[in-house]
């Protein structure tokens, strides 16, 4: 096992990795920006060191991080998600400096990091991909010709895109003409590469992804699926395991397809193969994320496997402990992303200070969060404050439990997505499994009706004003 692990990340995922290390008795050192000096990972890690400059650059400074790891006597680095997690150059720099990158080999990151190269690989491996191009668009004429062949509506996508960004829907020729140069410029600015391509838009799909685990000795297993169809602007809000729309036959088939995808790049560590599934239950490869994902908690809850610990063990050279036949799914799990956002104001982030914090608890409730009373949400990072995950024996039980946990959850001082998530948990279409990736956009008005929470906020504001007035 490793002597010490450096965590090159922040927030809830840094804390998640610290917890896995604690249970494995591996000391941790976490890096942090000045803004993050008072956050939970800094308090919970054995050691913490400041890495500047600024709020972001330090978390992306490959060589500064590697130097810190060496100075502190760490022999491995866990990148978490985002930042350097899917950076093949970072993975290479780690091994060139005698450090273990806790993740897949750089070749696998590179092959899957680019959506076009992964599409070509999957076609070779016999995995069905979304119909569309396998090379970047070079001219608008060529794009229009291909578009006519594939058929509208289409998705114009950045090959290097991620995090739900760099995707545009084209419903006709003039959309394509208008969006192509914009998408190219945006891709260059956001991801450093201007390659964009076209994919057929799958109508009313489910986003179903398969968690895989592979060791250094060629053993690969999958841990079943997650349904991440509850999305806003291609970003996930609620995730579920297992999916209500898959039967055992399709689960097995998609599991095999995910393993074929992973095998094509000799995958080791934890990874996720994302698919779209249409109304006729045809499935199409979307992309592979070569890292731990935000929503891994629901898979942990239904399989009982600690995915982060497995990543660490695999990186330390241990063989997979479980075989495919050992994996079984127990009950249902739901994760809600609690974001500091105002759902009634176009989900605008709401930075500020948390003035009260009470987290839910009790049977089947799990919190992975980076928030406490007095915590100040800074505008520099993404707005996710915590992940609330529940598990229960049945689907209805899981929904009831999530409703109860959201009711217990109190975060004051800033607006959060809690009221919005409560509405989803009360919505008959959600409860009956009648949803796909268009759910939020088609239910937005219904989900944004005022809730009792808004009322409580108003009462508290009025009470505070009266108290302040009487003090004066
Ligand atoms: P990212 O790398 O940003 O996660 P993905 O390719 O995984 O991008 O797509 C993100 C989301 O966008 C998907 O979960 C899905 O909801 C939507 N999407 C992407 N491609 C298509 C498509 N071809 N048809 C319909 N929806 C799509
Ligand atoms: P998950 O599939 O784990 O939910 P997301 O797509 O929501 O992953 O992304 C997880 C984190 O990684 C987010 O903070 C997101 O902004 C970031 N991220 C993912 N891919 C990229 C990318 N290509 N460029 C920049 N950030 C990314
Ligand atoms: Mg994706």
């Amino acid at each position: 096992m490793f002597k010490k692990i450096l965590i090159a990340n922040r927030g809830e995922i840094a804390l998640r990795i610290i917890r896995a290390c604690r249970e494995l008795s591996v000391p941790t050192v976490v890096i942090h920006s000045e803004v993050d000096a008072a956050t939970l990972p800094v308090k919970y890690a054995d050691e913490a060191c400041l890495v500047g400059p600024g709020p972001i650059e330090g978390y992306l400074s490959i060589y500064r991080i590697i130097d810190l790891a060496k100075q502190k006597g760490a022999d491995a680095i866990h990148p978490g998600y985002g930042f350097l997690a899917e950076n093949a150059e970072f993975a290479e720099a780690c091994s060139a400096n005698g450090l273990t990158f806790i993740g897949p080999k750089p070749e696998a990151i590179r092959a899957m990091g680019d959506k076009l190269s992964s599409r070509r690989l999957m076609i070779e491996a016999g995995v069905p991909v979304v119909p569309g191009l396998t090379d970047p668009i070079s001219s608008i004429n060529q794009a229009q010709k291909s578009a006519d062949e594939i058929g509208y509506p289409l998705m114009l996508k950045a090959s290097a895109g991620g995090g739900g960004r760099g995707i545009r829907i084209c419903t006709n020729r003039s959309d394509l003409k208008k969006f192509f140069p914009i998408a190219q410029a945006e891709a260059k600015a956001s991801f450093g590469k201007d390659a964009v391509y076209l994919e057929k838009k799958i109508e009313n799909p489910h986003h179903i992804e398969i968690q895989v685990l592979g060791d250094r000795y060629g053993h690969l297993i999958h841990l079943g699926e997650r349904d991440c169809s509850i999305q806003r602007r291609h970003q996930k809000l609620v995730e579920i395991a297992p999916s209500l729309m898959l039967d055992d036959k399709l689960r097995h088939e998609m599991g095999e397809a995910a393993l074929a995808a992973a095998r094509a790049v000799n995958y080791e560590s934890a990874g996720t193969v994302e698919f779209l599934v249409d109304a006729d239950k045809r499935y199409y490869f979307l992309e592979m994320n070569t890292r731990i994902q935000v929503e891994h908690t629901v898979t942990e809850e239904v399989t009982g496997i600690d995915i982060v610990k497995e990543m660490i063990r695999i990186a330390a050279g241990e063989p997979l402990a479980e075989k495919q036949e050992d994996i079984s799914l127990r009950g249902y799990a739901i994760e809600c992303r609690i974001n500091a956002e105002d759902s009634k104001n176009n989900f605008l982030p709401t930075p500020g200070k948390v003035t009260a914090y009470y987290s839910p608890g009790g049977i089947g409730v799990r919190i992975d969060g980076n928030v406490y009373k007095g915590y100040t949400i800074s505008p520099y990072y993404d707005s996710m404050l915590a992940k609330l995950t529940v598990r229960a024996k049945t689907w209805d039980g899981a929904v009831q439990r999530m409703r109860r946990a959201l009711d217990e959850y109190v975060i004051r001082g800033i607006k959060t997505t809690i009221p919005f998530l409560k509405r989803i948990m009360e919505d008959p279409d959600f409860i009956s499994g009648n949803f796909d990736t268009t759910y939020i956009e088609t239910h937005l008005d219904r989900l944004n009706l005022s809730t009792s929470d808004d009322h409580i906020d108003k009462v508290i504001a009025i009470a505070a004003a009266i108290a302040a007035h009487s003090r004066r």
Side-chain angles (χ1 to χ4, degrees), residues 115 155 157 162-164 199-200 202 207 231 234 274 287:
K115 290 193 204 295
M155 306 292 258
K157 286 178 141 182
E199 247 177 45
K200 182 150 189 70
I202 307 294
H207 173 115
Q231 306 180 348
H234 315 303
E274 297 189 334
E287 64 161 346

Side-chain angles (χ1 to χ4, degrees), residues 81-82 160-163 165 236 274 289 291 293-295 337 382:
Y81 56 69
R165 291 171 305 128
K236 301 159 187 165
E274 297 189 334
N289 290 330
R291 55 171 162 89
Q293 270 184 303
V294 172
E295 60 274 20
R337 299 193 189 198
D382 78 62

